[in-house]
Amino acid sequence: MEKILSTSEGNVNTNLVGPIDSEKIVVLIPGINGSIDYFNEMIPYLKDKYTVIALDLLGQGKSSKSKSDHYTIDSEAWNMLEAIARWKIINQLIIVGYGVGGLVAVNMAELRDFTISKLILINTPATDKYADMDASSAVANIPLLGKLAKSPVKAGMYFDKDFDRKSLKDHKIVDEAANMVDHKVAKKLQKMSSLYLGEKFLNKRLRAIKIPTLAMFAEGDQILGEKGIKDAKATIGRVPDLTVEDIKGAGHLAMLEKPQEIAEKIIEFDETTTKTEVE
């Protein structure tokens, strides 16, 4: 069920699949210039075991712009938490964040750690050196802004080089998501991750919240890139209660390319890890 929920800063588009009183709830957060549609291929593999809630960040997807025109990881995280609260959910959450959405997920845990049992990060940067890779890659000549997003070459950079986008139900999904983001808003969204990780790298943030975390990196990620992946693994590699998984044959949008594999890794991590281990 797709529904627009009002928050103090705007209107957040959400998609709820399953009962709100479920003991197992997975929350899906997309990266910048993306949308909750990025999770459509993966949700069918999760919905039998979990209630799933996907949310569009303010300023993109079907969510409204921020009322204050203020975009930070912190403000986005608060709005995600506020929107989830509108569903009157009381059970702990498993938060899955893709790309920069992973940083929003981490910040949600920093703000309300008692409501979150697990964190799942998909192709998320760990330092400010690679923090803008989701929106502006020197290799891919991203961001995908407005009409510029219509370039099939740029959209193709979000996938593994060998992936056939025509196999997707919507092979224009990247273009469509990017075209929904206002040009000026996109520039502000791009700055969020650099500012957030510039204040404190991801390893220090994860050590402080002490929540079991699974970080997945796709070997064919052309946006974060080989150097960005290496940097992230080196940065967070020694964080306690953190598991790193490699996804072969997939790119930045791994959950569209290999939805079943990503879902199975989430389920396995959840079923074999408990929050009490770090308390």
Side-chain angles (χ1 to χ4, degrees):
M1 174 175 62
E2 202 159 331
K3 186 176 182 181
I4 302 291
L5 300 174
S6 178
T7 68
S8 57
E9 270 298 312
N11 297 317
V12 176
N13 180 51
T14 65
N15 182 29
L16 175 69
V17 180
I20 59 174
D21 59 351
S22 171
E23 292 185 3
K24 292 283 189 176
I25 298 176
V26 171
V27 176
L28 306 175
I29 310 292
I32 55 174
N33 291 334
S35 81
I36 60 175
D37 291 341
Y38 283 177
F39 299 108
N40 287 349
E41 302 280 345
M42 186 173 71
I43 288 175
Y45 298 105
L46 293 171
K47 66 184 182 65
D48 290 340
K49 287 181 175 288
Y50 306 92
T51 285
V52 180
I53 305 174
L55 304 95
D56 276 322
L57 297 175
L58 286 180
Q60 63 184 44
K62 294 179 184 177
S63 290
S64 72
K65 296 179 183 179
S66 169
K67 292 178 182 177
S68 65
D69 200 31
H70 182 62
Y71 298 90
T72 65
I73 295 295
D74 184 78
S75 65
E76 292 283 11
W78 269 119
N79 275 281
M80 296 297 98
L81 290 167
E82 197 174 339
I84 292 168
R86 294 289 186 270
W87 287 111
K88 297 182 180 180
I89 293 170
I90 60 174
N91 292 320
Q92 286 196 322
L93 311 168
I94 299 167
I95 311 288
V96 180
Y98 148 70
V100 172
L103 301 181
V104 175
V106 171
N107 194 223
M108 290 168 70
E110 290 176 312
L111 296 169
R112 299 288 296 274
D113 67 318
F114 60 91
T115 67
I116 297 168
S117 63
K118 315 274 172 60
L119 283 172
I120 315 290
L121 312 178
I122 304 173
N123 294 325
T124 296
T127 68
D128 56 349
K129 184 176 181 180
Y130 295 96
D132 63 351
M133 288 296 102
D134 285 88
S136 55
S137 166
V139 176
N141 195 26
I142 304 296
L144 300 172
L145 301 178
K147 295 182 180 179
L148 295 178
K150 294 180 179 179
S151 165
V153 175
K154 292 176 183 177
M157 296 300 292
Y158 275 79
F159 301 91
D160 182 81
K161 292 179 180 179
D162 297 326
F163 182 74
D164 182 8
R165 281 181 290 148
K166 292 182 180 179
S167 65
L168 297 173
K169 293 179 181 178
D170 180 4
H171 64 274
K172 294 183 179 180
I173 190 168
V174 173
D175 300 332
E176 292 165 348
N179 281 324
M180 294 180 74
V181 184
D182 178 81
H183 183 88
K184 293 181 179 179
V185 171
K187 287 186 175 181
K188 294 179 179 181
L189 291 170
Q190 290 165 36
K191 297 178 181 179
M192 298 192 309
S193 52
S194 294
L195 292 172
Y196 180 70
L197 291 174
E199 293 173 356
K200 191 185 295 183
F201 285 175
L202 190 58
N203 58 325
K204 292 184 178 181
R205 294 181 181 277
L206 292 174
R207 284 179 182 273
I209 58 179
K210 299 179 181 179
I211 291 176
T213 302
L214 170 63
M216 289 185 272
F217 296 98
E219 293 184 350
D221 187 342
Q222 301 182 78
I223 301 297
L224 187 56
E226 183 179 346
K227 291 182 179 179
I229 293 172
K230 185 177 180 179
D231 175 80
K233 288 182 177 180
T235 302
I236 65 176
R238 296 184 179 181
V239 173
D241 303 289
L242 178 136
T243 301
V244 175
E245 290 273 2
D246 292 322
I247 309 298
K248 296 182 179 180
H252 197 61
L253 276 169
M255 63 279 191
L256 274 173
E257 297 166 276
K258 294 200 169 185
Q260 183 174 356
E261 181 178 339
I262 300 297
E264 288 174 351
K265 287 184 180 296
I266 291 171
I267 294 168
E268 181 182 5
F269 181 74
D270 175 43
E271 293 180 343
T272 59
T273 313
T274 60
K275 191 174 182 180
T276 56
E277 292 176 5
V278 296
E279 295 176 340

